[in-house]
Amino acid sequence: MHRRFIVPSALAATLVLAIPASAATGTVGAPGIGDPYYPASGNGGYDVSHYDLRLKYQPATDLLEGTATILATTTQELTRFNLDFGLAVSEVRVNGKKAAFAKSGDQELEITPADRLTKGKDVSVVVRYAGKPSELKINGWTAWARTPDGGVAAQEPESAVWWYPSNDHPLDKATYDISVSVPDGTQAISNGVLVSQSSKLGWTRFNWRSDKPQATYLSTLAVGKFDITTDKTADGLPVLNAYSKDLGPNAGAARASIERTTEVAEWLTEVFGPYPFNALGGYVPNVTSGFALETQTRPFYSPRQFANGANVSVVVHEIAHQWYGNSVSVDGWKDIWINEGFARYSQWLWSEKEGEGTAQELADYVYAQHPADDPFWKVKPGDPGPDKQFDIAVYDRGALALQALRNEVGDETFFALLKGWPTEKAHSNATVGDFLRYAERVSGKPLATLFDTWLYQPKRPAVPAAASAGIAKNALSSRAAVEPERPASWKKIAATNTIHDHGDHGHGSDDHGRGGHGGDGHGGHGDR
């Protein structure tokens, strides 16, 4: 999914230049973490280790009141630093002392502690705040969705700005305790394990804990009235799924899909190695959007993902992200392929397992769907640019690259790569280049040309090159004009093409947006 205030490249460069040099080298923490796709995202000068959020939310009015305690370590001397946040702040304390604070731009909370902070110092920051998240607009939209009985925070690449102060970029992951008080009869769903629940004077408090590093955009909160199912995996992990009580005709299909989460996760452990977190599940709130998101341990699904019936393929995609994207996260948003290419390929592997079309057949079919003049091939999955970060090519061309890699190194090495990468890079960040070097080391083969062909060249790999990579071999035969047969799984896979398409933020009533999943020859949007 992607947020709709994507910054064009030229503007991004301007914003980077607008950050004072002293912010990076002096005693003022930089107002951005240094990601050229999103210059305002994150901040410099410190690393967060833990967020403790104590919240109260009133669904009837959308009023959110909160106290956030942030534990961090300084990475430079600081007289001032920023948090990313948009709601109104009433008080800030740093190491127990009141600190001066000011708002800057749409999302910068500038904090001046009473005492200068030395480099390498453990710091606690307490922020008290209140506001109505749905009324906070940044570049014309909000990541907070109101529902008939509550509200939901789920977006990519940023959503924390709307409900808690943070260092809002995947480079700074942390553990979480999220405690939420809501009116009796209403539930609060978040990440990780539900540690405790208690009621007092008409309010019920839910305490959630995520004990492994988590990127801010992977944190989520859903308040409403849910039907909840619980279970445990064979390994004893708690499983919690939640469904809004008013999903209408999509309710059955949603439940029939999400209730297979444990089965999908158990299969993926065979492909990717041990599950990396302390809980499992998913939730489907009554929202009008059409996307899904890999919020850590508990993916978010829009009801419209199930408008045409059950679709386990979307569950496969989001659970695969728990390894590829959540445990191993992007170093910068240009590295989105190490999230989405692998999650899409997991759908191809599920198809292969289910006997509905092999990954090779799906690769041949995708290649055949896009002639050389198709804009699909102009997108470079290895660095697509902020305006194409979630283009369908990042998914399908990204998966083609993995099939080409599989054909080059052989199944034994390829599946060793899939399992070894999230083990070696667990709970860290990585670039596309990191994966290339890892694959070369494990396979013992030079792979730079292959990666360049499939991830970086803005053109369709020529038929001979594709065939030499084991893709579209039939195109070299006399049957060149015959299109490959459509695999049986294709309809369900294509129905997830809008999986990360967040297009209803001030851009009309459709969900297509700049990422562009429309008109891509993929048989439409399944859930439209």
Side-chain angles (χ1 to χ4, degrees):
M1 318 144 195
H2 61 294
R3 76 179 165 190
R4 287 294 137 192
F5 56 105
I6 287 177
V7 181
S9 298
L11 178 57
T14 301
L15 291 174
V16 169
L17 292 173
I19 296 173
S22 61
T25 58
T27 60
V28 176
I33 209 165
D35 191 323
Y37 278 23
Y38 304 104
S41 294
N43 303 285
Y46 61 93
D47 285 323
V48 178
S49 59
H50 185 73
Y51 292 95
D52 183 275
L53 308 179
R54 190 168 181 85
L55 311 174
K56 183 178 183 180
Y57 180 70
Q58 175 54 265
T61 61
D62 194 43
L63 178 63
L64 177 71
E65 300 170 90
T67 300
T69 301
I70 301 167
L71 304 181
T73 303
T74 59
T75 58
Q76 66 178 73
E77 186 177 4
L78 288 174
T79 55
R80 195 179 81 210
F81 63 92
N82 286 18
L83 292 170
D84 297 305
F85 194 47
L87 296 181
V89 173
S90 59
E91 183 180 80
V92 176
R93 289 179 179 266
V94 177
N95 294 334
K97 296 181 180 180
K98 282 190 175 183
F101 62 92
K103 297 294 291 294
S104 173
D106 287 328
Q107 66 183 69
E108 299 295 332
L109 176 62
E110 299 179 347
I111 298 171
T112 303
D115 302 317
R116 180 186 297 247
L117 304 176
T118 59
K119 181 178 180 181
K121 182 178 181 62
D122 290 337
V123 178
S124 66
V125 183
V126 177
V127 181
R128 297 183 186 276
Y129 58 94
K132 297 182 178 182
S134 64
E135 296 181 0
L136 171 62
K137 299 295 194 295
I138 296 179
N139 287 327
W141 73 282
T142 176
W144 181 275
R146 290 202 74 180
T147 62
D149 54 15
V152 177
Q155 257 289 359
E156 182 183 16
E158 289 182 342
S159 66
V161 170
W162 280 264
W163 61 291
Y164 69 94
S166 70
N167 195 14
D168 202 2
H169 190 277
L171 268 178
D172 196 359
K173 298 197 281 189
T175 56
Y176 282 76
D177 281 306
I178 299 177
S179 177
V180 190
S181 184
V182 295
D184 285 351
T186 303
Q187 295 118 322
I189 307 297
S190 191
N191 310 86
V193 172
L194 181 61
V195 177
S196 64
Q197 175 182 332
S198 60
S199 295
K200 184 178 181 180
L201 299 176
W203 291 81
T204 302
R205 182 166 291 281
F206 296 82
N207 298 299
W208 295 89
R209 171 166 289 176
S210 295
D211 65 355
K212 295 292 191 297
Q214 177 174 290
T216 45
Y217 85 95
L218 297 173
S219 62
T220 191
L221 175 63
V223 175
K225 296 180 180 180
F226 296 94
D227 287 327
I228 292 177
T229 65
T230 59
D231 198 2
K232 286 190 176 182
T233 67
D235 295 332
L237 280 177
V239 182
L240 186 147
N241 300 318
Y243 310 89
S244 279
K245 292 178 179 291
D246 51 359
L247 294 178
N250 295 334
R255 190 174 294 227
S257 306
I258 309 306
E259 289 300 307
R260 295 185 68 181
T261 293
T262 300
E263 172 193 350
V264 168
E266 288 177 351
W267 169 70
L268 283 170
T269 61
E270 299 173 9
V271 181
F272 296 150
Y275 181 74
F277 301 115
N278 67 341
L280 193 61
Y283 75 97
V284 190
N286 185 8
V287 290
T288 60
S289 58
F291 65 87
L293 178 62
E294 62 271 16
T295 40
Q296 195 156 302
T297 71
R298 191 148 292 108
F300 159 93
Y301 301 93
S302 296
R304 281 166 56 190
Q305 283 289 322
F306 312 104
N308 289 341
N311 193 344
V312 181
S313 191
V314 69
V315 178
V316 170
H317 186 104
E318 301 306 338
I319 299 302
H321 271 312
Q322 305 305 309
W323 286 265
Y324 282 85
N326 295 13
S327 179
V328 187
S329 301
V330 296
D331 187 81
W333 283 109
K334 70 180 179 61
D335 301 302
I336 191 64
W337 173 75
I338 67 170
N339 291 13
E340 301 302 347
F342 289 82
R344 177 62 115 195
Y345 195 76
S346 71
Q347 295 176 269
W348 292 13
L349 291 177
W350 178 263
S351 170
E352 196 167 286
K353 180 187 86 74
E354 294 290 283
E356 295 184 339
T358 65
Q360 183 65 61
E361 290 167 341
L362 285 158
D364 291 343
Y365 186 74
V366 167
Y367 183 84
Q369 295 307 297
H370 300 284
D373 60 352
D374 192 325
F376 175 89
W377 299 109
K378 297 294 185 183
V379 178
K380 300 178 288 184
D383 188 359
D387 56 335
K388 294 291 185 181
Q389 184 183 345
F390 297 94
D391 191 272
I392 193 63
V394 174
Y395 296 72
D396 281 352
R397 188 178 175 184
L400 279 174
L402 288 169
Q403 184 61 32
L405 176 64
R406 180 179 178 180
N407 292 335
E408 174 66 22
V409 302
D411 273 15
E412 183 177 354
T413 298
F414 178 74
F415 285 101
L417 289 171
L418 290 189
K419 188 172 288 187
W421 171 257
T423 299
E424 182 166 309
K425 292 287 188 177
H427 307 302
S428 67
N429 300 78
T431 67
V432 175
D434 290 334
F435 184 81
L436 165 61
R437 289 182 286 274
Y438 169 78
E440 288 186 326
R441 172 166 58 83
V442 173
S443 69
K445 291 191 170 190
L447 298 170
T449 299
L450 182 149
F451 275 67
D452 183 61
T453 298
W454 293 97
L455 294 182
Y456 291 102
Q457 289 300 315
K459 61 184 179 181
R460 188 190 201 220
V463 170
S468 69
I471 294 171
K473 291 181 179 179
N474 287 341
L476 289 177
S477 72
S478 60
R479 299 175 61 225
V482 179
E483 183 174 303
E485 183 178 349
R486 188 177 80 169
S489 62
W490 184 253
K491 185 176 181 180
K492 291 295 186 184
I493 293 174
T496 69
N497 283 350
T498 55
I499 196 169
H500 285 176
D501 194 2
H502 302 192
D504 48 1
H505 303 302
H507 293 270
S509 60
D510 65 61
D511 270 355
H512 298 305
R514 297 190 190 105
H517 296 262
D520 54 27
H522 281 68
H525 292 273
D527 62 350
R528 293 284 178 265

